[in-house]
């Protein structure tokens, strides 16, 4: 008989905060699968029919497993394959079609605006083909009053400084300084915000 392993959400968050890699088939990897099933169920509810802002707020608290400020707004559809490692601040707005791969941790500070179809990806598979199922991860931190344009992708380990703008379609592979605009693939400095 196969041994089952129980990991609490907090144990999962603590492990992910440690930065240790995830071996394919490990207890943490199996927790990914468990959390993804719950996320699929809740996002199917979010995306399957209209919900009032109050109902959507309650569904987001279920999805993210923590208190969510009442001022957070979202226009579904929304997708995530985990959900339990996202933290959002006051007055955050998430537009339609966003995809958050949040196992490694996503923090979005107050006043940030996340445009249509933005992808936030905190995981990478290992380079070694023999170990490809294993993963590394790093958190994404989006600062206060950041604006991420439509169809942008932000990769693992990136911090976007307060007040910055990420242009539509950008792929952000490194940190973005506060009050700057970046764009392109990979994203590069365009100009400072005066």
């Amino acid at each position: 008989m196969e041994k089952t392993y129980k990991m609490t959400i907090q144990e999962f968050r603590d492990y992910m905060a440690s930065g240790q890699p995830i071996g394919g088939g490990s207890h943490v990897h199996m927790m990914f699968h468990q959390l993804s099933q719950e996320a699929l169920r809740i996002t199917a509810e979010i995306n399957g029919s209209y919900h009032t802002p109050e109902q959507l707020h309650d569904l987001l608290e279920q999805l993210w497993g923590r208190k969510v400020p009442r001022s957070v707004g979202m226009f579904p559809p929304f997708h995530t394959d985990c959900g339990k490692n996202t933290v959002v601040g006051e007055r955050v707005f998430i537009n339609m079609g966003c995809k958050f791969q949040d196992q490694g941790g996503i923090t979005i500070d107050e006043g940030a605006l996340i445009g249509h179809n933005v992808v936030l990806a905190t995981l990478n598979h290992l380079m070694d083909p023999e170990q490809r199922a294993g993963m590394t991860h790093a958190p994404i931190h989006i600062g206060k009053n950041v604006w991420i344009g439509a169809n942008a992708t932000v990769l693992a380990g990136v911090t976007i400084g307060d007040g910055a703008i990420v242009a539509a379609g950008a792929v952000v592979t490194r940190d973005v300084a506060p009050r700057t605009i970046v764009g392109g693939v990979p994203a590069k400095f365009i100009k400072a915000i005066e």
Side-chain angles (χ1 to χ4, degrees), residues 148-186:
I148 301 181
N151 296 302
T153 298
V154 180
L155 298 182
V158 168
T159 295
I160 299 175
D162 293 349
I165 296 173
V166 174
V171 177
V172 186
T173 61
R174 61 178 74 173
D175 290 353
V176 175
R179 299 183 65 86
T180 60
I181 301 172
V182 300
V185 180

Side-chain angles (χ1 to χ4, degrees), residues 109 141-146 160-164 176-180:
D109 290 339
H141 186 176
I142 298 170
K144 294 176 183 175
N145 301 312
V146 165
I160 299 175
D162 293 349
V176 175
R179 299 183 65 86
T180 60

